[in-house]
Each structure stands twice: as structure tokens, then as C-alpha cells.
Amino acid sequence: MLSHIPTYAAKYGLDNSICGDCPLKLSETGSCYVNLLTPNNIYHSYLTGNYPRFSEKELALLQHYHYPIRLGSYGDPTVVPLEVWEPIVLASGKYTGYTHNWRDTNSLWKQYLMASVHSIPEAKQAQSQGWRTFRIIAPDAPLSDNEILCRHTEDDRNNCSTCLLCDGKSSKPNIADKVHGLNWKVSNFLKYLESKSN
Ligand code: SF4
């Protein structure tokens, strides 16, 4: 069905069941960094029966090798039930993840995910509710006292799979990162930040 194709759903605002009410969606501010051609290809493979199902075999491999995982490469991880994610997360033991749905979701997610926020008041609100935060900032914006810059931005020899700072509730610091990506997406994000500050 056409409306199920990721690029079509995103363009026409039919992606709530994937992205929730994230303000960065293509149909809203159009600043999400995800290149939707990848989910399109995955969806096509799924339709043609060529997308492998995650099975006990993969779970056993994760338990053995503890490969680091990211909870979701497109969309909000909380749209998939926690009981689906949890065995995978626990088998790996090394994970990163983010949600824009932190205001409304089950608080058990705090142990695995960062709250995605875009302003200091939003960050404070999420932190007061027990979340660690990941705040996207303008390239020249200062950090808050309780934030550090993303380790990859600090030094591109670091990457998420070894850094693993963005792994939800712990005593680790909150993270901020400078907006990056395609110029038009960055520009849309900066306009969004400006509209929120007015
Ligand atoms: S701080 Fe940066 S490099 Fe480290 S896990 Fe978070 S996003 Fe990845």
C-alpha cells in the first residue's frame, strides 16, 4: 500500500505510528537527519520476503558476543513495546537510544533511552522527571553546566558503539550535540529553534 512506503508516509504526515509527534518529522519541521531511502529499501525487502526475521539464533549471538545495538535507526523506539525490545537490550548489554516521546511513555524506558530535547527548559523538564537528556543545539550554542558535548563531535575517532554514553538512566552526564546533516535540514532545524525561542 502506497501510504506504508516510508517516504510517502513521511511526506504526507502519515508517520505517527513510526515517529509519534516528534517535531523534526519531514511533515512538520523537515529536519530529521534520517535518509528515508534506507527504510524504503528495507520495507521493499520486507514486502518481497527478503528481510530476515530476528530469531533465537540472533538473540544467542547477541548474548555471546554482546554486540552494541541502537534502539531503532528510524522512528521512535517506544512505538515498539518494551517487552519486544527488552530481551534484545539485555542480551546485548550495550545499547544507545533516544525518544521524543519521553513526556508520555512508560517510565521504564528511562533505563534504556535518552530524552531527546531541543531547548534548555525542555531539558530541565525531562531531567526533573528522571530522564537523562540528549539536546541538539545550534553550532554556536553553549552547553549547560550539566551537559557534555557528544564524544564523536568532540573527536571523530569516537563512535556510539564504543562510547555508549547515550544509554539512558545512569549517573553519566547529559549530552548535547551540534546539529549536523544536510544543509537544508540544518537550516530547517535552526528555524525551528528560533520559532521556539520567540
Ligand atoms: S555521546 Fe555521541 S558518540 Fe557517545 S553514544 Fe552519545 S551520540 Fe554516540
Side-chain angles (χ1 to χ4, degrees):
M1 195 188 295
L2 194 58
S3 63
H4 289 178
I5 297 172
T7 41
Y8 184 96
K11 183 171 178 184
Y12 294 102
L14 303 171
D15 49 1
N16 266 27
S17 63
I18 303 167
C19 302
D21 55 6
C22 173
L24 308 188
K25 286 189 288 193
L26 189 64
S27 57
E28 295 202 20
T29 57
S31 50
C32 172
Y33 65 88
V34 175
N35 177 350
L36 290 179
L37 294 181
T38 304
N40 263 16
N41 289 339
I42 292 172
Y43 183 62
H44 180 71
S45 295
Y46 170 74
L47 287 183
T48 51
N50 291 322
Y51 198 72
R53 294 181 80 93
F54 190 87
S55 69
E56 290 296 325
K57 186 176 152 206
E58 281 77 29
L59 199 60
L61 284 172
L62 264 184
Q63 263 158 353
H64 186 76
Y65 291 107
H66 301 290
Y67 296 123
I69 58 166
R70 162 125 180 206
L71 282 84
S73 53
Y74 166 52
D76 198 295
T78 66
V79 301
V80 175
L82 182 59
E83 50 275 27
V84 173
W85 275 117
E86 208 156 36
I88 301 170
V89 170
L90 295 178
S92 160
K94 297 177 183 173
Y95 49 85
T96 54
Y98 312 83
T99 179
H100 277 93
N101 196 23
W102 52 270
R103 286 186 182 84
D104 303 315
T105 198
N106 181 335
S107 65
L108 291 173
W109 283 105
K110 288 175 194 168
Q111 62 194 309
Y112 303 125
L113 302 177
M114 308 292 282
S116 289
V117 296
H118 311 115
S119 67
I120 291 175
E122 240 182 13
K124 284 188 174 154
Q125 187 189 355
Q127 289 159 16
S128 73
Q129 293 175 19
W131 290 91
R132 279 179 65 227
T133 53
F134 183 93
R135 183 167 70 98
I136 308 172
I137 59 176
D140 51 355
L143 300 178
S144 294
D145 289 346
N146 65 357
E147 289 173 335
I148 61 168
L149 191 63
C150 161
R151 298 295 88 188
H152 175 71
T153 302
E154 187 73 43
D155 178 344
D156 64 10
R157 287 171 296 182
N158 297 322
N159 59 54
C160 294
S161 61
T162 51
C163 168
L164 299 171
L165 270 180
C166 295
D167 63 352
K169 195 176 179 191
S170 70
S171 56
K172 296 172 187 172
N174 300 297
I175 308 293
D177 197 13
K178 299 176 187 193
V179 60
H180 54 267
L182 297 173
N183 286 345
W184 63 271
K185 291 189 176 186
V186 170
S187 163
N188 284 347
F189 181 75
L190 295 176
K191 279 186 213 150
Y192 167 66
L193 281 190
E194 202 178 315
S195 72
K196 281 186 58 136
S197 64
N198 292 331

